[in-house]
Amino acid sequence: MVKPGWIGFAVLLYAAQSMAGEVAMSDAWSRATAPGQDSAAVGLHITSQKDARIIAVSSPAAASAEIHSMTHENGMMKMRQLESLPLPSKQEVVLGAGGDHLMLLGLKKPLVAGDTVPLTLTLQFADKSTEQVTLKATVQPLTHEHHHHHD
Ligand SMILES: [Cu+2]
């Protein structure tokens, strides 16, 4: 006779394990900050096995973090905050390659090439359940062609 409490525990464990395999992330990067710069974009590759959205981002390295889109308007690059970012099932979404990206705002210290920046993403699935996943972005050297200004 199995006690009800144990059944609940086993179900929870199973759920946690199956969720962990739902989202794959790789190649997370950020870029070294220039003097006086206190924000930085983060890019990564992310694939969810089922429909999900990124609904929040946070990092202990920054006062706040946002999901941004980047668009060209009248020849100007404009970034704006997105409420959430869709992750269609089984499709790799590439963030940071000149389009949608994550943005660290109010960096607590400059980012130096070779450092890693921890981030937590909150994902929401179609059934409204949420899951937090963590990743580490590797700080790459500042290069001219990837530098953009935040307004
Ligand atoms: Cu941005």
Side-chain angles (χ1 to χ4, degrees), residues 26-104:
S26 64
D27 300 329
W29 59 266
S30 188
R31 216 165 285 287
T33 48
Q37 180 188 350
D38 73 345
S39 62
V42 173
L44 75 149
H45 295 223
I46 181 166
T47 308
S48 176
Q49 290 305 308
K50 46 184 195 178
D51 286 328
R53 310 179 74 82
I54 301 174
I55 58 168
V57 189
S58 67
S59 170
S64 64
E66 297 178 349
I67 309 161
H68 276 188
S69 69
M70 187 147 60
T71 52
H72 291 265
E73 281 176 25
N74 305 322
M76 301 268 291
M77 299 253 262
K78 285 222 162 196
M79 295 201 286
R80 63 166 52 92
Q81 187 179 0
L82 299 177
E83 287 293 309
S84 66
L85 186 101
L87 300 175
S89 70
K90 297 180 171 57
Q91 276 182 42
E92 185 179 62
V93 174
V94 180
L95 298 178
D100 298 340
H101 57 278
L102 309 178
M103 199 86 197
L104 302 174

XYZ file of all heavy atoms in Angstrom, residues 26-104:
575
model
N 21.799 27.207 -25.824
C 23.236 27.117 -26.099
C 23.757 28.463 -26.578
O 22.988 29.360 -26.927
C 23.510 26.044 -27.161
O 22.906 26.410 -28.382
N 25.078 28.565 -26.599
C 25.767 29.741 -27.156
C 25.306 31.064 -26.567
O 25.139 32.051 -27.289
C 25.599 29.805 -28.688
C 26.168 28.578 -29.371
O 27.143 28.023 -28.837
O 25.647 28.181 -30.420
N 25.080 31.110 -25.258
C 24.669 32.380 -24.647
C 25.884 33.295 -24.529
O 26.948 32.876 -24.082
C 24.064 32.120 -23.271
N 25.722 34.532 -24.967
C 26.841 35.473 -24.966
C 26.374 36.862 -24.547
O 25.201 37.222 -24.676
C 27.491 35.549 -26.357
C 26.544 35.975 -27.448
C 25.825 35.148 -28.269
C 26.176 37.318 -27.816
N 25.040 35.892 -29.124
C 25.233 37.225 -28.875
C 26.550 38.579 -27.359
C 24.668 38.355 -29.468
C 25.980 39.704 -27.956
C 25.049 39.579 -29.005
N 27.309 37.622 -24.065
C 27.116 39.048 -23.944
C 28.423 39.661 -24.447
O 29.266 38.956 -24.979
C 26.815 39.454 -22.499
O 26.455 40.836 -22.468
N 28.582 40.957 -24.275
C 29.756 41.597 -24.823
C 30.357 42.539 -23.782
O 29.626 43.144 -23.002
C 29.387 42.371 -26.085
C 30.465 42.340 -27.140
C 29.939 42.795 -28.470
N 29.106 41.797 -29.141
C 29.576 40.698 -29.706
N 30.856 40.427 -29.698
N 28.774 39.852 -30.299
N 31.670 42.629 -23.777
C 32.352 43.513 -22.835
C 31.809 44.926 -22.989
O 31.508 45.378 -24.099
C 33.857 43.488 -23.086
N 31.661 45.626 -21.865
C 31.108 46.974 -21.923
C 32.198 48.003 -22.173
O 33.337 47.850 -21.727
C 30.383 47.315 -20.604
O 31.227 46.964 -19.504
C 29.082 46.551 -20.492
N 31.841 49.037 -22.890
C 32.736 50.175 -23.100
C 32.679 51.050 -21.849
O 31.719 50.968 -21.079
C 32.274 50.963 -24.327
N 33.691 51.898 -21.640
C 33.672 52.759 -20.458
C 32.378 53.570 -20.382
O 31.942 54.137 -21.377
C 34.882 53.678 -20.677
C 35.796 52.894 -21.554
C 34.884 52.091 -22.457
N 31.760 53.587 -19.227
C 30.533 54.368 -19.028
C 29.262 53.664 -19.450
O 28.167 54.148 -19.195
N 29.388 52.529 -20.094
C 28.206 51.795 -20.562
C 27.679 50.920 -19.428
O 28.428 50.127 -18.859
C 28.621 50.923 -21.761
C 27.490 50.099 -22.357
C 27.997 49.105 -23.401
O 29.159 49.160 -23.811
N 27.147 48.182 -23.803
N 26.402 51.059 -19.090
C 25.887 50.242 -17.982
C 24.747 49.333 -18.417
O 23.950 48.876 -17.612
C 25.479 51.120 -16.798
C 24.192 51.897 -17.071
O 23.795 51.965 -18.260
O 23.596 52.412 -16.120
N 24.673 49.088 -19.726
C 23.701 48.119 -20.219
C 24.389 47.229 -21.238
O 25.401 47.616 -21.826
C 22.505 48.835 -20.856
O 22.930 49.584 -21.968
N 23.850 46.036 -21.436
C 24.463 45.107 -22.378
C 23.414 44.155 -22.922
O 22.514 43.721 -22.192
C 25.575 44.309 -21.693
N 23.533 43.851 -24.202
C 22.636 42.882 -24.829
C 23.153 41.470 -24.571
O 24.349 41.248 -24.410
C 22.557 43.142 -26.336
N 22.221 40.526 -24.507
C 22.573 39.113 -24.358
C 21.894 38.348 -25.483
O 20.729 38.593 -25.798
C 22.094 38.562 -22.997
C 22.312 37.050 -22.906
C 22.805 39.280 -21.855
N 22.641 37.446 -26.101
C 22.080 36.598 -27.143
C 22.203 35.141 -26.756
O 23.043 34.783 -25.923
N 21.365 34.312 -27.316
C 21.472 32.873 -27.116
C 20.611 32.151 -28.143
O 19.803 32.780 -28.841
C 21.054 32.458 -25.702
C 19.564 32.455 -25.358
C 19.280 31.381 -24.322
C 19.164 33.802 -24.799
N 20.839 30.852 -28.237
C 19.979 29.990 -29.037
C 19.094 29.234 -28.056
O 19.594 28.692 -27.071
C 20.805 28.977 -29.827
C 21.695 29.600 -30.862
N 21.823 29.077 -32.136
C 22.487 30.684 -30.828
C 22.671 29.834 -32.836
N 23.087 30.806 -32.064
N 17.791 29.223 -28.322
C 16.879 28.542 -27.399
C 15.818 27.796 -28.191
O 15.270 28.324 -29.164
C 16.276 29.557 -26.387
C 15.330 28.863 -25.402
C 15.577 30.726 -27.083
C 14.971 29.729 -24.196
N 15.576 26.550 -27.793
C 14.573 25.712 -28.452
C 13.695 25.091 -27.379
O 14.194 24.454 -26.461
C 15.236 24.570 -29.259
O 16.213 25.128 -30.131
C 14.204 23.808 -30.076
N 12.393 25.294 -27.509
C 11.448 24.676 -26.577
C 10.742 23.545 -27.306
O 10.372 23.682 -28.465
C 10.438 25.708 -26.087
O 9.479 25.085 -25.258
N 10.562 22.438 -26.622
C 9.888 21.296 -27.245
C 8.382 21.507 -27.351
O 7.705 20.825 -28.099
C 10.191 20.003 -26.488
C 11.635 19.539 -26.651
C 12.030 19.375 -28.110
O 11.331 18.698 -28.885
N 13.123 19.998 -28.517
N 7.850 22.443 -26.563
C 6.430 22.769 -26.739
C 6.271 24.286 -26.709
O 7.145 24.998 -26.225
C 5.565 22.081 -25.683
C 6.066 22.180 -24.272
C 5.152 21.369 -23.347
C 5.404 21.740 -21.896
N 4.535 21.042 -20.968
N 5.152 24.758 -27.228
C 4.917 26.198 -27.336
C 5.103 26.870 -25.987
O 4.550 26.429 -24.984
C 3.503 26.469 -27.850
C 3.370 26.174 -29.335
O 4.366 26.365 -30.059
O 2.283 25.757 -29.758
N 5.883 27.931 -25.977
C 6.169 28.641 -24.736
C 6.426 30.096 -25.075
O 6.508 30.486 -26.248
C 7.370 28.022 -24.036
N 6.531 30.898 -24.042
C 6.935 32.296 -24.195
C 7.919 32.608 -23.094
O 7.779 32.118 -21.977
C 5.731 33.245 -24.029
C 4.522 32.893 -24.852
C 3.381 33.875 -24.605
N 3.630 35.156 -25.254
C 3.394 35.406 -26.539
N 2.889 34.472 -27.300
N 3.651 36.576 -27.046
N 8.893 33.448 -23.404
C 9.726 34.010 -22.351
C 8.942 35.201 -21.815
O 8.595 36.107 -22.573
C 11.088 34.487 -22.888
C 11.850 33.333 -23.542
C 11.919 35.085 -21.742
C 13.149 33.769 -24.229
N 8.634 35.177 -20.522
C 7.823 36.272 -19.975
C 8.611 37.170 -19.022
O 8.143 38.237 -18.659
C 6.535 35.760 -19.286
C 6.862 34.773 -18.160
C 5.599 35.112 -20.302
C 5.660 34.466 -17.259
N 9.791 36.728 -18.611
C 10.589 37.574 -17.721
C 12.045 37.140 -17.763
O 12.357 35.989 -18.076
C 10.065 37.506 -16.294
N 12.915 38.087 -17.485
C 14.361 37.839 -17.448
C 14.905 38.530 -16.206
O 14.467 39.631 -15.861
C 15.065 38.455 -18.678
C 16.514 38.004 -18.740
C 14.334 38.125 -19.951
N 15.856 37.903 -15.555
C 16.523 38.591 -14.453
C 17.969 38.131 -14.387
O 18.331 37.080 -14.928
C 15.805 38.328 -13.122
O 15.951 36.971 -12.769
N 18.798 38.942 -13.757
C 20.204 38.588 -13.569
C 20.713 39.270 -12.317
O 20.427 40.454 -12.095
C 21.041 39.039 -14.771
O 22.422 38.888 -14.477
N 21.475 38.556 -11.497
C 22.061 39.198 -10.324
C 23.115 40.239 -10.715
O 23.510 41.048 -9.881
C 22.687 38.024 -9.551
C 22.866 36.943 -10.556
C 21.783 37.130 -11.582
N 23.528 40.249 -11.989
C 24.562 41.184 -12.432
C 24.000 42.557 -12.798
O 24.758 43.492 -13.041
C 25.300 40.602 -13.638
N 22.669 42.671 -12.853
C 22.069 43.921 -13.322
C 20.860 44.287 -12.478
O 20.200 43.423 -11.897
C 21.649 43.779 -14.785
N 20.565 45.594 -12.421
C 19.405 46.070 -11.658
C 18.115 45.511 -12.247
O 17.184 45.181 -11.532
C 19.370 47.594 -11.643
N 18.080 45.425 -13.576
C 16.905 44.840 -14.213
C 17.306 44.246 -15.551
O 18.410 44.492 -16.045
C 15.803 45.886 -14.397
O 16.245 46.897 -15.280
N 16.413 43.468 -16.114
C 16.661 42.876 -17.424
C 15.347 42.844 -18.182
O 14.282 42.685 -17.578
C 17.234 41.469 -17.281
N 15.431 43.060 -19.483
C 14.230 43.140 -20.314
C 14.401 42.299 -21.564
O 15.507 41.966 -21.959
C 13.983 44.608 -20.731
C 13.710 45.532 -19.560
C 13.523 46.984 -19.971
O 13.810 47.322 -21.146
O 13.084 47.776 -19.120
N 13.263 42.019 -22.190
C 13.271 41.407 -23.518
C 13.134 42.556 -24.506
O 12.243 43.385 -24.359
C 12.085 40.432 -23.693
C 12.024 39.434 -22.537
C 12.166 39.720 -25.039
C 10.642 38.776 -22.399
N 14.021 42.632 -25.481
C 13.984 43.737 -26.444
C 13.828 43.226 -27.865
O 14.307 42.154 -28.200
C 15.306 44.517 -26.395
C 15.350 45.547 -25.308
N 16.373 46.452 -25.201
C 14.488 45.811 -24.299
C 16.144 47.235 -24.156
N 15.023 46.870 -23.586
N 13.198 44.061 -28.672
C 13.257 43.855 -30.119
C 14.074 44.999 -30.690
O 14.182 46.063 -30.074
C 11.853 43.860 -30.727
O 11.306 45.160 -30.668
N 14.669 44.784 -31.825
C 15.405 45.866 -32.486
C 14.865 46.001 -33.892
O 14.753 45.032 -34.638
C 16.900 45.576 -32.503
C 17.712 46.741 -33.017
S 19.320 46.853 -32.215
C 20.038 45.276 -32.664
N 14.479 47.206 -34.234
C 13.943 47.454 -35.562
C 14.620 48.680 -36.151
O 15.198 49.498 -35.430
C 12.421 47.725 -35.517
O 12.169 48.758 -34.568
C 11.646 46.483 -35.119
N 14.551 48.781 -37.462
C 15.083 49.955 -38.153
C 13.927 50.900 -38.437
O 12.939 50.500 -39.038
C 15.759 49.553 -39.465
C 17.011 48.783 -39.241
N 18.249 49.363 -39.214
C 17.218 47.476 -39.013
C 19.161 48.451 -38.979
N 18.567 47.287 -38.857
N 14.052 52.118 -37.978
C 13.025 53.123 -38.263
C 13.710 54.368 -38.790
O 14.515 54.964 -38.085
C 12.235 53.466 -36.981
C 11.191 52.426 -36.638
C 10.493 52.722 -35.319
O 10.452 53.902 -34.930
O 10.013 51.768 -34.699
N 13.395 54.743 -40.018
C 14.002 55.925 -40.642
C 15.525 55.881 -40.568
O 16.174 56.870 -40.256
C 13.494 57.209 -39.972
C 11.980 57.294 -39.989
O 11.361 56.902 -40.984
N 11.384 57.765 -38.922
N 16.064 54.698 -40.807
C 17.514 54.557 -40.810
C 18.136 54.478 -39.431
O 19.355 54.385 -39.311
N 17.294 54.530 -38.384
C 17.813 54.448 -37.019
C 17.488 53.070 -36.443
O 16.416 52.532 -36.679
C 17.154 55.514 -36.135
C 17.352 56.928 -36.582
S 18.804 57.652 -35.790
C 18.219 57.769 -34.095
N 18.414 52.545 -35.658
C 18.135 51.309 -34.934
C 17.389 51.667 -33.656
O 17.851 52.486 -32.872
C 19.448 50.632 -34.570
C 20.253 50.269 -35.791
S 20.220 48.518 -36.076
C 21.772 48.072 -35.332
N 16.255 51.045 -33.467
C 15.468 51.334 -32.267
C 15.228 50.040 -31.506
O 14.847 49.039 -32.085
C 14.117 51.949 -32.653
C 14.205 53.385 -33.081
C 13.054 54.169 -32.468
C 13.371 55.658 -32.506
N 12.518 56.428 -31.627
N 15.430 50.126 -30.195
C 15.122 48.979 -29.358
C 13.875 49.295 -28.557
O 13.714 50.397 -28.064
C 16.269 48.698 -28.400
C 17.524 48.289 -29.109
S 18.635 47.410 -28.020
C 19.256 48.721 -27.011
N 13.006 48.306 -28.467
C 11.873 48.509 -27.570
C 11.616 47.236 -26.781
O 11.967 46.142 -27.191
C 10.644 48.989 -28.322
C 10.063 48.064 -29.356
C 8.666 48.533 -29.760
N 8.643 49.932 -30.142
C 8.802 50.369 -31.392
N 8.993 49.503 -32.356
N 8.770 51.641 -31.670
N 11.008 47.446 -25.636
C 10.770 46.323 -24.740
C 9.590 45.494 -25.213
O 8.570 46.034 -25.631
C 10.510 46.844 -23.322
C 10.421 45.724 -22.289
C 10.180 46.237 -20.881
O 10.069 47.439 -20.653
N 10.106 45.330 -19.934
N 9.730 44.178 -25.155
C 8.630 43.268 -25.468
C 8.061 42.721 -24.165
O 8.802 42.454 -23.222
C 9.131 42.094 -26.320
C 9.740 42.412 -27.672
C 10.237 41.128 -28.328
C 8.741 43.113 -28.572
N 6.744 42.551 -24.138
C 6.106 41.948 -22.960
C 6.527 40.494 -22.816
O 6.709 39.996 -21.714
C 4.582 42.011 -23.111
C 4.006 43.399 -22.929
C 4.159 43.888 -21.500
O 3.769 43.141 -20.584
O 4.677 44.989 -21.304
N 6.635 39.819 -23.959
C 7.029 38.417 -23.931
C 7.558 38.055 -25.311
O 7.364 38.792 -26.276
C 5.847 37.514 -23.562
O 4.869 37.563 -24.577
N 8.251 36.946 -25.379
C 8.841 36.519 -26.635
C 8.414 35.081 -26.915
O 8.682 34.188 -26.118
C 10.366 36.600 -26.550
C 11.047 36.309 -27.862
C 11.470 37.602 -28.520
C 12.235 35.416 -27.673
N 7.709 34.851 -28.040
C 7.215 33.500 -28.320
C 8.328 32.524 -28.695
O 9.279 32.890 -29.407
C 6.257 33.700 -29.500
C 6.464 35.072 -30.003
C 7.327 35.835 -29.048
N 8.192 31.300 -28.202
C 9.096 30.203 -28.553
C 8.233 29.088 -29.135
O 7.722 28.235 -28.415
C 9.837 29.688 -27.308
C 10.707 30.674 -26.540
C 11.247 30.014 -25.270
C 11.849 31.192 -27.393
N 8.031 29.108 -30.466
C 7.193 28.063 -31.078
C 7.835 26.689 -30.884
O 9.057 26.575 -30.897
C 7.178 28.456 -32.560
C 7.651 29.878 -32.611
C 8.576 30.046 -31.437
N 7.008 25.677 -30.707
C 7.528 24.351 -30.368
C 8.511 23.855 -31.413
O 8.294 24.003 -32.620
C 6.385 23.347 -30.199
O 5.797 23.069 -31.436
N 9.606 23.315 -30.926
C 10.632 22.639 -31.733
C 11.317 23.549 -32.744
O 11.924 23.085 -33.704
C 10.037 21.415 -32.439
C 9.533 20.350 -31.457
C 8.952 19.145 -32.190
C 8.660 18.004 -31.242
N 7.740 18.352 -30.144
N 11.195 24.868 -32.555
C 11.890 25.796 -33.452
C 12.990 26.497 -32.691
O 12.755 27.056 -31.629
C 10.920 26.858 -33.968
C 10.114 26.431 -35.175
C 9.222 27.557 -35.658
O 9.632 28.721 -35.717
N 7.993 27.216 -35.988
N 14.186 26.482 -33.265
C 15.271 27.189 -32.614
C 15.071 28.691 -32.802
O 14.899 29.174 -33.925
C 16.623 26.783 -33.194
C 17.766 27.443 -32.428
C 19.137 27.048 -32.971
O 19.414 27.346 -34.147
O 19.904 26.443 -32.215
N 15.075 29.421 -31.703
C 14.964 30.878 -31.751
C 16.347 31.431 -31.420
O 16.950 31.071 -30.412
C 13.913 31.387 -30.741
C 13.895 32.912 -30.691
C 12.530 30.846 -31.111
N 16.859 32.263 -32.326
C 18.181 32.846 -32.121
C 18.006 34.288 -31.674
O 17.454 35.116 -32.402
C 19.025 32.782 -33.413
C 20.399 33.407 -33.179
C 19.167 31.335 -33.879
N 18.444 34.564 -30.467
C 18.360 35.919 -29.931
C 19.720 36.581 -30.041
O 20.754 35.934 -29.899
C 17.933 35.882 -28.460
C 16.553 35.282 -28.184
C 16.280 35.260 -26.694
C 15.484 36.063 -28.910
N 19.694 37.894 -30.309
C 20.935 38.654 -30.241
C 21.590 38.930 -31.577
O 22.505 39.729 -31.651
N 21.123 38.294 -32.659
C 21.764 38.487 -33.952
C 21.135 39.674 -34.679
O 20.563 39.547 -35.749
C 21.657 37.215 -34.783
N 21.182 40.849 -34.052
C 20.670 42.048 -34.696
C 19.166 42.211 -34.607
O 18.608 43.134 -35.178
N 18.499 41.317 -33.885
C 17.050 41.412 -33.759
C 16.653 41.368 -32.293
O 17.152 42.141 -31.489
N 15.752 40.437 -31.987
C 15.339 40.316 -30.588
C 16.526 39.887 -29.735
O 17.380 39.105 -30.167
C 14.218 39.273 -30.465
C 12.970 39.677 -31.237
O 12.822 40.877 -31.538
O 12.166 38.792 -31.538
N 16.566 40.416 -28.538
C 17.661 40.075 -27.620
C 17.199 40.317 -26.189
O 16.139 40.888 -25.955
C 18.905 40.919 -27.937
C 18.651 42.389 -27.883
N 18.090 43.080 -28.937
C 18.835 43.306 -26.902
C 17.961 44.352 -28.608
N 18.398 44.525 -27.362
N 18.011 39.887 -25.269
C 17.775 40.195 -23.863
C 18.679 41.359 -23.514
O 19.755 41.524 -24.086
C 18.106 38.977 -22.983
C 17.442 37.663 -23.411
C 17.887 36.521 -22.505
C 15.924 37.786 -23.399
N 18.230 42.199 -22.605
C 18.991 43.402 -22.287
C 19.191 43.505 -20.786
O 18.223 43.472 -20.026
C 18.212 44.628 -22.777
C 19.063 45.844 -22.920
S 19.825 45.793 -24.546
C 21.129 46.970 -24.298
N 20.436 43.630 -20.402
C 20.763 43.881 -18.997
C 20.846 45.382 -18.805
O 21.539 46.074 -19.554
C 22.101 43.231 -18.632
C 22.196 41.728 -18.856
C 23.621 41.250 -18.603
C 21.222 40.992 -17.943
